[in-house]
């Protein structure tokens, strides 16, 4: 069955999934780029995001790669799509990723401000969804045609889907980055109560990878 | 100079340093024993706590061992000393560790309830301090005679010393344990603002070890 997944989402050692004060200069918030230490050098990231050959192999790369397996659609929060806030001033901003974004499938962007779909090179189309997380998930599932839906982030979007009991599986990368402040992914969320169990972990020099699987239904 | 240190303090992937509902049966709270996964099999823990030979070597053991280097006194919270709450009913409870506790130096136990010092076998004496964290630190420093003072825990005690700007160095072990609820070590504490930097990290199969060093004075 089609799953709703989170993959490769990195946490700082103090529990933040992004730093404070996101901006054009700091897409992951101030200091947030340190969260990428485990994935940046991998072969998968170098290929998918930068179109380069080379890069590291091993468990970090395996996790990066499996995050793209069997993904038929993505869901992103608006801040993960870009730093623009409020109503779209124009059609200028087309995401952080240039003309050919690394998704290659439909991407559903949660926003309060309507905008026409945006077709990019390489199979990625951004759809802007203004009627909430359930509507976005329904549209993403339909678009994924039986494959999984991956939530790319950010923190607020993952938290909403977790709290609604809709996430089936999460791979988090616990990193040695220290942010001090930012957006806490799990504060006030009891993953055990939501039915999650840690089903696998792999420690590397750069991260402690933890896979959490929802094995029970969350309480209504 | 004598440092105030935290060593080998384990966090769950959701940021807890102990589970909920500590009791005689669950000294680390419900589910909290999973925090010990990285240290339990090590040669150091087997020797120091159980008096056994054997056990694993490698980075996990190195961190366990260095936690005992140059320690001249310990500070513990009362709940780390035992599950008894309120005024001491008698002298019966003598800690979790049997006749010869693994400290072998003076140990200062923070409590609201006075009790006479308790001399154990092997060089450990428990002193019960009722006048707060600064008094306990002053007594521990005097007893340590130039060596370092180690805070054993628990969470509430470490948080108090952190917030007071008194901790010089922390080694935390980020583990794949999932607790769901419990005592969050760092919630609401901005370690960057307190002057900490991550100065070293070592990832193993069982934990991401992070050493944080206070390189700047915390704001007054």
């Amino acid at each position: 069955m089609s799953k709703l997944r989170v993959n490769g989402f990195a946490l700082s050692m103090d529990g933040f999934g992004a730093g404070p004060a996101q901006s054009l200069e700091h897409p992951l918030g101030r200091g947030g780029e340190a969260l990428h230490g485990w994935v940046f050098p991998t072969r998968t990231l170098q290929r998918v995001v930068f179109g380069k050959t080379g890069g590291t192999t091993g468990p970090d790369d395996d996790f990066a790669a499996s995050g793209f397996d069997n993904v038929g659609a993505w869901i992103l929060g608006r801040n993960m799509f870009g730093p623009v806030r409020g109503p779209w001033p124009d059609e200028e901003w087309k995401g952080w990723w240039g003309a050919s974004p690394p998704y290659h499938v439909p991407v559903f962007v949660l926003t309060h401000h309507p905008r026409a779909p945006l077709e990019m090179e390489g199979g990625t189309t951004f759809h802007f969804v203004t009627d909430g997380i359930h509507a976005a998930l329904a549209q993403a599932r339909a678009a994924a045609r039986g494959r999984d839906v991956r939530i790319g982030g950010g923190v607020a979007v993952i938290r909403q889907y977790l709290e609604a009991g809709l996430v089936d599986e999460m791979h988090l990368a616990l990193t040695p980055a220290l942010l001090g402040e930012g957006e806490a992914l799990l504060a006030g969320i009891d993953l055990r109560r939501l039915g999650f169990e840690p089903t696998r972990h792999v420690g590397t020099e750069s991260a402690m990878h933890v896979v959490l699987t929802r094995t029970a239904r969350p309480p209504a």
Side-chain angles (χ1 to χ4, degrees), chain A residues 29-71:
Chain A
R30 214 166 45 233
E33 61 283 354
L35 297 168
H36 277 342
W38 69 277
V39 75
F40 196 82
T42 63
R43 185 172 64 173
T44 296
L45 190 103
Q46 290 295 319
R47 178 176 58 76
V48 169
V49 177
F50 299 108
K52 292 188 179 166
T53 54
T56 60
T57 57
D60 292 324
D61 184 56
D62 295 342
F63 274 105
S66 64
F68 292 92
D69 288 349
N70 197 40
V71 173

Side-chain angles (χ1 to χ4, degrees), chain A residues 12-20 30-32 34-35 176-184:
Chain A
S12 69
M13 59 149 297
D14 39 358
F16 300 111
R30 214 166 45 233
L35 297 168
L178 176 68
L179 290 182
E181 52 176 339
E183 297 180 56

Side-chain angles (χ1 to χ4, degrees), chain A residues 90-138:
Chain A
D90 50 40
E91 305 285 299
E92 199 73 4
W93 181 264
K94 295 179 176 176
W96 303 102
W97 308 275
S100 179
Y103 301 105
H104 312 294
V105 291
V107 176
F108 296 84
V109 179
L110 287 157
T111 168
H112 295 292
H113 303 284
R115 179 171 169 178
L118 182 60
E119 196 176 333
M120 307 294 288
E121 293 170 21
T124 301
T125 299
F126 293 110
H127 299 272
F128 300 88
V129 182
T130 56
D131 44 357
I133 64 166
H134 290 89
L137 179 56

